[in-house]
Amino acid sequence: MIEIRFAKKGETTRQKEIWKLSFGDSDQYIDFYYTHRYQEDETLLLLEGGEIATMLTLLPVRVITSTGASLNSTMVYALATHPQYRYRGYATRLLEFASRHLGQQENFFSVIVPAGKKLFDYYRSQGFRDFFFVRQLSFHRQKLESLPVGANSCTITGISPQEYNLIREKQLSGKTHVSYSIEDIDYQRKLSRQSGADIYGLAVEGEQGCAVIEKRGKDRVLIKELLIADQFIPTAVRQIAQLLPAEKYILRTPPFLGNRLEGSIRPFGMIRANQGVDPATIPAGPGYLGLAFD
């Protein structure tokens, strides 16, 4: 017998097992999520014979269009099936249930960030399409000296989730993008701080920007989001490197930024209209998502 429902108290041990088997994250990271972000009423489960087989999380977000319209939407997160129950179509059934449920709640779109290139094909087969893009580049510390910076000075300080969201929305005004709640930005701040970094405010010649940064091990820094006027990005990166020394840096920006740097633009996230919502309402792309809590 198949049952689909939202999670109840006392079911996290099985969920953590599925998460570990599916994504390979450390127990520390999984426990961190279940301590700081997990909510039963956002966790959808498929059970076979009373055993949890597949799970997904529905994170409320908003899709903001280039004209400023704000549309209730959902990020589908941590979709996973226990290895014992794979190849039975359970992930598809859970996605379809979620789409019907969200459509009934007047929720416009589901967005998802596939955890690997191969999964893009799977989600395309489920009606999702490439929509959110990032510019990404990797570089070693010695390359910092060759970045095309001017005589700009940059300050960088840790800021609150409320301050971060204000700067973020100003920087993304007029662009189709995903907007997050204060609670989600606070969760990202916890992730960043656990790693030894933070969420930051940047200032260059009166221009206010922001950045989400995580340290990945001893010698690697991931700049998950950097938003500031394009001409100031090299200066901001140099300042970040002074604050957080490392051997290697990975930088993600929206596709419309970072033109002075090398790197490539790639699909990052996908979108699908929920059931009962006209797919024609999907705004013109490309869009920018940014934070996937990956």
Side-chain angles (χ1 to χ4, degrees):
M1 176 181 173
I2 302 300
E3 177 187 10
I4 296 178
R5 60 167 172 78
F6 283 91
K8 300 175 182 178
K9 289 189 179 300
E11 295 182 318
T12 59
T13 298
R14 175 67 170 181
Q15 292 176 48
K16 290 179 181 181
E17 177 189 356
I18 295 172
W19 188 308
K20 179 83 169 181
L21 291 169
S22 299
F23 304 119
D25 291 321
S26 68
D27 292 338
Q28 180 185 18
Y29 179 86
I30 297 169
D31 289 342
F32 186 89
Y33 170 79
Y34 277 90
T35 298
H36 296 287
R37 184 61 188 82
Y38 173 75
Q39 294 185 41
E40 284 96 357
D41 62 0
E42 293 178 353
T43 306
L44 199 57
L45 305 176
L46 183 149
L47 296 85
E48 179 184 309
E51 187 76 83
I52 299 171
T54 303
M55 65 182 194
L56 65 76
T57 298
L58 303 174
L59 300 178
V61 296
R62 302 186 75 81
V63 171
I64 311 297
T65 71
S66 59
T67 60
S70 178
L71 305 173
N72 287 330
S73 302
T74 295
M75 180 184 291
V76 177
Y77 181 69
L79 172 60
T81 298
H82 192 284
Q84 180 182 344
Y85 295 95
R86 288 176 185 167
Y87 310 110
R88 302 184 189 183
Y90 288 171
T92 296
R93 291 180 66 167
L94 202 52
L95 280 172
E96 291 307 306
F97 183 96
S99 183
R100 289 195 300 273
H101 170 77
L102 293 168
Q104 292 167 1
Q105 304 297 314
E106 298 184 347
N107 190 285
F108 282 80
F109 310 123
S110 292
V111 303
I112 195 163
V113 177
K117 291 182 179 180
K118 292 182 179 179
L119 285 174
F120 275 87
D121 287 337
Y122 168 73
Y123 289 115
R124 289 182 190 117
S125 75
Q126 302 303 311
F128 286 85
R129 63 182 174 92
D130 298 5
F131 187 78
F132 302 101
F133 291 76
V134 293
R135 185 189 300 274
Q136 181 166 316
L137 64 149
S138 302
F139 52 91
H140 292 278
R141 185 170 183 82
Q142 54 265 35
K143 188 176 179 180
L144 292 170
E145 300 302 322
S146 65
L147 292 181
V149 300
N152 319 114
S153 62
C154 175
T155 60
I156 178 169
T157 55
I159 57 175
S160 70
Q162 291 84 353
E163 292 171 313
Y164 192 93
N165 248 357
L166 285 172
I167 297 170
R168 186 179 192 271
E169 291 304 311
K170 183 177 180 180
Q171 283 289 336
L172 294 174
S173 177
K175 306 291 186 182
T176 298
H177 67 279
V178 168
S179 179
Y180 300 90
S181 68
I182 297 299
E183 291 74 19
D184 280 333
I185 299 296
D186 186 50
Y187 176 63
Q188 177 57 63
R189 180 173 66 167
K190 289 182 173 78
L191 284 172
S192 294
R193 286 183 168 180
Q194 183 196 42
S195 77
D198 208 336
I199 62 173
Y200 298 96
L202 305 164
V204 184
E205 294 189 2
E207 170 81 13
Q208 298 294 313
C210 56
V212 166
I213 306 176
E214 293 179 12
K215 295 179 73 173
R216 297 291 177 93
K218 187 179 291 186
D219 293 319
R220 190 161 63 121
V221 167
L222 171 61
I223 306 170
K224 298 181 81 169
E225 178 168 85
L226 176 57
L227 302 173
I228 199 166
D230 203 34
Q231 67 268 30
F232 298 138
I233 285 183
T235 300
V237 171
R238 289 274 290 269
Q239 188 65 34
I240 289 168
Q242 289 185 26
L243 179 69
L244 298 167
E247 287 302 313
K248 185 177 181 180
Y249 296 84
I250 301 169
L251 170 64
R252 296 178 189 162
T253 71
F256 53 84
L257 293 177
N259 295 308
R260 297 186 175 199
L261 304 175
E262 298 175 3
S264 59
I265 294 174
R266 65 173 179 87
F268 187 68
M270 309 178 82
I271 195 168
R272 181 177 78 170
N274 290 321
Q275 288 194 22
V277 176
D278 185 354
T281 60
I282 294 176
Y288 171 69
L289 189 147
L291 303 179
F293 312 112
D294 53 330

